[in-house]
């Protein structure tokens, strides 16, 4: 992700491929489960700012229902509870 942030063309192209397939997978999951929110966790969430648009476009294009357009895809946040 560091190389993509620095503008490395191969890394940026790799993120485009990852985003496309992740978006297609998310669209399939949304069609089956119909969640209101999809949280992207793990290591990929560190680059979610770079992937958000690349994930959303194919998710909407490959989704079979309107629910894909309305589901919110987010990276996780941590809240400390006292």
């Amino acid at each position: 992700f560091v190389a993509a942030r620095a503008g490395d063309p191969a890394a940026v192209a790799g993120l485009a491929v990852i985003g496309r397939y992740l978006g297609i997978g998310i669209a399939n999951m949304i069609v089956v489960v119909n969640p209101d929110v999809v949280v992207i966790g793990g290591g990929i969430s560190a680059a979610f700012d770079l992937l958000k648009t690349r994930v959303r476009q194919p998710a909407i294009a490959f989704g079979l229902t309107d629910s894909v357009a309305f589901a919110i895809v987010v990276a996780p946040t941590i809240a400390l509870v006292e």
Side-chain angles (χ1 to χ4, degrees):
F1 302 126
V2 173
R5 289 188 195 287
D8 179 273
V12 171
L15 278 181
V17 171
I18 290 169
R20 180 176 190 276
Y21 287 108
L22 184 59
I24 292 169
I26 289 171
N28 288 326
M29 187 269 307
I30 290 172
V31 168
V32 172
V33 180
N34 196 23
D36 292 327
V37 177
V38 177
V39 179
I40 305 298
I44 201 130
S45 65
F48 189 69
D49 59 314
L50 299 173
L51 288 169
K52 187 174 184 177
T53 302
R54 292 179 173 99
V55 167
R56 188 154 178 77
Q57 291 169 342
I60 291 171
F62 285 91
L64 301 175
T65 67
D66 289 337
S67 60
V68 174
F70 294 110
I72 300 168
V73 180
V74 298
T77 58
I78 297 173
L80 298 177
V81 179
E82 293 184 25

